[in-house]
Amino acid sequence: MIPARGKIALVLGGGGARGLAHIGVIKRLEEEGVVPEAIVGTSIGALIGGAYASGLRVADMEGILKSVDMLALARIFRPGIPLSGIVDGGRVVKFLRDLIGSKAIENLPVPFRAVATDLISGEEVVFDRGSLIEAILASIAIPVLFKPVLHQGRYLVDGGLSNPLPVSVAQRLSAAPSIAVNVSPDPAKVGELLRGRRDSKLKRLGKIVPGGLKLPYSTRPTLLDVFLQTLTISTSNLIVQRLEHARPNALLTPAIEEFGMLEFHNGPAIMKRGYEEAEKAQSLIASILSS
């Protein structure tokens, strides 16, 4: 059993839809009486962490996940005029406003920080005050998909480009033991899964095409595959480097490799993986909080 005085600094990393595992981790921690004294997030971690810090309940998050389907996602992430980002940002803003309202970071019930990246300098930018929605928008602004956010004269993009698992930010914010949730999977495991799915597809096509499928380009990754796998590789490498300088007291790594970065419609299954990972780490977390 985890001690009742279970106060932690919670670090939520980036990883697209795989980050929905954060909700499962938070749910399991809550069940054990572990209360975040501070929350720091990058990208999807900033969205979930910011929503939770603002007072949104885990049950509410679960309800949203269960109601999300491909049609709903298509409405939210409908393409706009691609001047600097494909996704229509107005619909994302409306989604966030409906979710968390208009709140300032400095007024949240739980201290919160969101990490973004300066598009020009590459520097880490930490939001510690101001509009929560603006901070989340900047932190999730994956280049090409979302347009950069103009903030105080700087164009900001996804925080995963500078600090995808911001343990260092949490350690500056709070002296509480840090629990970090890494939802950026091993690129090799993701690559193997992509290859397996493509091979299966080719076998199915081979049954349809007389004489088998012999087009060499059919085995190549799609443009989207290349883009997303590139993000996975760069993020994974950067996390390894960052952890050499700032290590959390506990590092949770949910088994989410089989889920794609854009598979938000698989939210309940991804959340379950986070819950299971936090459950496995119960003894470790108890020992950290007892010391």
Side-chain angles (χ1 to χ4, degrees):
M1 187 70 179
I2 293 177
R5 61 181 185 84
K7 294 246 179 172
I8 61 164
L10 185 61
V11 183
L12 304 178
R18 297 165 181 142
L20 298 175
H22 293 321
I23 301 173
V25 170
I26 293 170
K27 180 179 181 179
R28 183 58 183 149
L29 292 177
E30 270 194 355
E31 290 175 354
E32 291 297 327
V34 179
V35 180
E37 181 177 272
I39 303 174
V40 178
T42 289
S43 200
I44 185 70
L47 196 163
I48 291 172
Y52 188 56
S54 75
L56 192 69
R57 300 177 307 163
V58 170
D60 295 328
M61 296 187 197
E62 282 189 89
I64 293 170
L65 290 188
K66 291 175 182 177
S67 67
V68 169
D69 56 23
M70 293 301 289
L71 182 59
L73 287 173
R75 291 194 185 109
I76 296 171
F77 296 104
R78 186 179 70 180
I81 300 174
L83 297 177
S84 56
I86 295 173
V87 174
D88 181 354
R91 289 181 175 269
V92 179
V93 171
K94 183 181 185 307
F95 169 75
L96 290 174
R97 190 171 289 123
D98 291 344
L99 183 68
I100 58 179
S102 299
K103 298 178 180 178
I105 294 173
E106 61 268 30
N107 296 330
L108 297 180
V110 179
F112 171 72
R113 300 290 184 268
V115 177
T117 303
D118 187 311
L119 179 62
I120 306 303
S121 68
E123 293 176 313
E124 167 188 291
V125 176
V126 179
F127 281 81
D128 60 1
R129 61 185 58 252
S131 167
L132 176 59
I133 287 179
E134 184 181 31
I136 292 172
L137 283 174
S139 190
I140 67 172
I142 298 174
V144 181
L145 291 182
F146 295 91
K147 69 178 182 179
V149 172
L150 181 60
H151 174 75
Q152 296 182 352
R154 308 170 85 176
Y155 282 105
L156 305 182
V157 292
D158 195 295
L161 297 176
S162 58
N163 198 348
L165 190 64
V167 177
S168 56
V169 178
Q171 291 175 344
R172 294 196 298 267
L173 176 62
S174 170
S178 55
I179 295 179
V181 187
N182 179 17
V183 290
S184 181
D186 180 345
K189 291 182 180 179
V190 176
E192 285 300 318
L193 286 168
L194 285 173
R195 183 181 302 157
R197 290 172 184 170
R198 188 162 295 279
D199 288 346
S200 296
K201 182 178 180 181
L202 290 176
K203 287 178 182 178
R204 291 196 302 272
L205 290 172
K207 293 177 182 178
I208 299 172
V209 180
L213 193 65
K214 300 185 181 302
L215 299 176
Y217 59 79
S218 62
T219 61
R220 293 176 186 169
T222 66
L223 182 62
L224 184 60
D225 287 341
V226 172
F227 176 64
L228 296 179
Q229 183 67 347
T230 299
L231 285 180
T232 299
I233 293 169
S234 60
T235 300
S236 178
N237 289 339
L238 186 52
I239 287 174
V240 171
Q241 294 172 19
R242 283 281 186 170
L243 287 177
E244 291 178 358
H245 302 285
R247 294 200 65 84
N249 296 90
L251 178 61
L252 308 188
T253 55
I256 37 70
E257 292 88 357
E258 69 189 79
F259 301 103
M261 197 177 290
L262 301 179
E263 292 185 17
F264 289 93
H265 56 287
N266 283 324
I270 298 172
M271 175 184 162
K272 183 181 178 184
R273 297 297 175 85
Y275 184 94
E276 292 169 347
E277 178 66 15
E279 196 168 42
K280 286 193 301 182
Q282 181 178 336
S283 296
L284 172 61
I285 295 171
S287 66
I288 291 170
L289 296 176
S290 298
S291 59

